């Protein structure tokens, strides 16, 4: 259905454009947020992705699914942003206070957000593995479509996902061992 909306939008159907964006926006946002490792900048990346997509929509021929085509544009948008940021001088070696606080938060505290924990684990993965994992495991793309988006063979995507899983499991096991080794301090205990 998404591809049909894109093809209709290509012909100038404003309602199809709106449906296409509504149907794909959350996946694009999750993808660029994880890929860029910048959840705060994700909205800008999403907007830039759709600007690029809508400019090139008249040339979209439907040879691949519209979702795959759009995620490929999102990937290029993120890569362009990463290259731009790498070329700029850094003002500070620290992230913003909110990101730093989320990464420092102890998993044993009441109300700990599992999404923050997953984000922290994914942030530690190399870019290619994080991208393959997000495309297949979080966005649910088939491996063949993920390979098209990432611009690599299907076997490479499978390998990257497997290695990402191994790394995530290893990180979780380490965190659990570290948590088990901590001795809780009781409030008001006399010493």
């Amino acid at each position: 259905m998404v591809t049909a909306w894109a093809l209709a939008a290509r012909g100038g159907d404003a309602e199809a454009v709106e449906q296409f964006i509504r149907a794909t926006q959350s996946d694009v946002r999750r993808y660029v947020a994880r890929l860029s490792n910048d959840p705060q900048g994700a909205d800008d990346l999403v907007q830039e992705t759709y600007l690029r997509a809508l400019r090139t929509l008249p040339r979209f021929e439907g040879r691949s699914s519209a979702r795959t085509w759009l995620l490929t544009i999102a990937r290029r948008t993120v890569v362009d942003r990463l290259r731009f940021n790498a070329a700029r001088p850094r003002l500070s070696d620290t992230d913003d206070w909110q990101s730093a606080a989320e990464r420092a938060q102890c998993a044993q505290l009441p109300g700990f957000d599992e999404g923050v924990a997953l984000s922290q684990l994914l942030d530690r993965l190399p870019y290619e593995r994080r991208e393959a994992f997000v495309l297949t495991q979080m966005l649910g793309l088939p491996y063949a479509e993920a390979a098209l988006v990432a611009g690599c063979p299907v076997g490479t995507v499978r390998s990257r996902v497997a290695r990402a899983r191994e790394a995530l499991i290893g990180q979780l096991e380490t965190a659990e061992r570290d948590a088990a080794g901590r001795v809780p301090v009781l409030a008001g205990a006399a010493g």
Side-chain angles (χ1 to χ4, degrees):
M1 193 71 194
V2 172
T3 301
W5 286 326
L7 291 170
R10 177 180 80 161
D13 183 344
E15 179 65 27
V17 171
E18 190 175 325
Q19 289 174 326
F20 172 69
I21 291 172
R22 231 183 286 134
T24 57
Q25 196 168 16
S26 66
D27 282 349
V28 170
R29 187 178 195 304
R30 285 190 343 210
Y31 181 59
V32 299
R34 298 289 185 213
L35 201 58
S36 68
N37 198 16
D38 182 15
Q40 288 81 20
D43 289 334
D44 290 340
L45 290 167
V46 169
Q47 184 175 14
E48 179 63 26
T49 296
Y50 281 104
L51 288 172
R52 290 181 183 193
L54 293 175
R55 274 195 303 262
T56 60
L57 191 58
R59 294 191 306 264
F60 176 67
E61 296 176 358
R63 285 182 275 164
S64 66
S65 78
R67 188 173 185 217
T68 300
W69 170 77
L70 184 60
L71 290 174
T72 301
I73 293 170
R75 180 180 193 272
R76 287 187 198 126
T77 302
V78 171
V79 168
D80 288 349
R81 176 72 54 91
L82 292 173
R83 285 182 183 148
F84 176 78
N85 288 342
R88 288 180 38 205
R90 291 188 60 141
L91 300 176
S92 171
D93 286 341
T94 60
D95 292 335
D96 64 61
W97 67 269
Q98 187 175 7
S99 294
E102 287 172 351
R103 278 196 293 281
Q105 186 176 2
C106 176
Q108 309 320 321
L109 292 176
F112 180 76
D113 182 7
E114 286 80 12
V116 172
L118 177 61
S119 181
Q120 290 174 344
L121 295 174
L122 286 172
D123 290 351
R124 295 180 190 148
L125 293 176
Y127 174 86
E128 292 84 8
R129 291 180 189 171
R130 182 173 63 235
E131 175 185 35
F133 186 85
V134 169
L135 285 170
T136 59
Q137 307 305 302
M138 296 179 75
L139 297 181
L141 283 184
Y143 283 93
E145 284 189 42
L148 287 172
V149 171
C152 64
V154 174
T156 301
V157 171
R158 291 184 191 282
S159 174
R160 289 175 180 172
V161 170
R163 290 184 178 168
R165 283 184 183 142
E166 289 173 10
L168 290 171
I169 290 168
Q171 290 177 33
L172 285 171
E173 289 172 350
T174 299
E176 287 174 1
R177 274 195 308 274
D178 290 349
R182 291 188 197 123
V183 178
V185 178
L186 300 174

